[in-house]
Amino acid sequence: NISNSDGLKEAIAQFKDVTNITDVLERFMSDLIHEGEERARMLCPKDTGMLEAGITSTLKSAKYTVTGSVICESDHAAFVEFGTGVVGANAPYPGDMGTYKRDVPSPKKDVTGGWRYLGDDGQFHYTHGHVPNPFMFQTAEYMKMIAPQIAKGIMNNDKQE
């Protein structure tokens, strides 16, 4: 969530004297989520391609309100993002994980916290989990950073027209 970031506040300040604010905000948000979607695709692991295929963006607009999002709808996106098992629980995550728990007790786990799973290759594999790969967190941080530049670019284009 980048809605309270300094970068987004700075970007919105660029639009203070705009009369067609909804149109300008739509262009801003469209450009921002496009860049975010591209960054998420670049950062996500490419193992099976399922994560990359699950990355989408949405833009919604109503009078004076424009919202956009970049998400990964893959079933295992949270496991990759936050990590899993004892390995993930012992590795730091750079952001807020909300209610996500990485090392959840399960009757499928052995005494060391490991478990077996059936892989895409049809074979059983043993794991203790994996460390976080925060590709969506990194995408959000990138979007916060580039928001002011996108806003300035839109305002400069409007002044030239």
Side-chain angles (χ1 to χ4, degrees), residues 98-128:
T99 60
Y100 184 82
K101 303 284 186 237
R102 295 190 277 190
D103 189 21
V104 179
S106 168
K108 295 180 181 181
K109 291 183 179 178
D110 64 21
V111 293
T112 66
W115 68 94
R116 295 192 183 285
Y117 66 95
L118 183 61
D120 291 336
D121 59 3
Q123 302 293 315
F124 279 95
H125 302 273
Y126 183 80
T127 186
H128 282 95

Side-chain angles (χ1 to χ4, degrees), residues 33-43 55 70 139 142:
I33 63 174
H34 173 76
E35 291 291 326
E37 188 173 340
E38 297 260 323
R39 178 57 64 120
R41 288 181 190 284
M42 182 188 82
L43 293 173
I55 295 171
V70 177
T139 296
Y142 174 74

Side-chain angles (χ1 to χ4, degrees), residues 6-15 28 147-149 151-152 155:
D6 290 338
L8 192 57
K9 289 174 186 173
E10 182 183 337
I12 291 170
Q14 297 289 318
F15 304 134
F28 164 73
Q149 296 153 336
K152 287 175 187 170
M155 293 308 296

Side-chain angles (χ1 to χ4, degrees), residues 80-97:
V80 173
E81 178 75 18
F82 300 120
T84 59
V86 292
V87 173
N90 291 321
Y93 182 76
D96 180 9
M97 294 186 358

Side-chain angles (χ1 to χ4, degrees), residues 45-104:
K46 307 291 190 289
D47 185 29
T48 65
M50 290 175 62
L51 280 176
E52 187 174 11
I55 295 171
T56 62
S57 60
T58 59
L59 177 67
K60 295 179 183 174
S61 181
K63 190 171 186 167
Y64 305 118
T65 304
V66 178
T67 57
S69 61
V70 177
I71 60 172
C72 185
E73 297 180 310
S74 172
D75 290 341
H76 67 289
F79 302 137
V80 173
E81 178 75 18
F82 300 120
T84 59
V86 292
V87 173
N90 291 321
Y93 182 76
D96 180 9
M97 294 186 358
T99 60
Y100 184 82
K101 303 284 186 237
R102 295 190 277 190
D103 189 21
V104 179

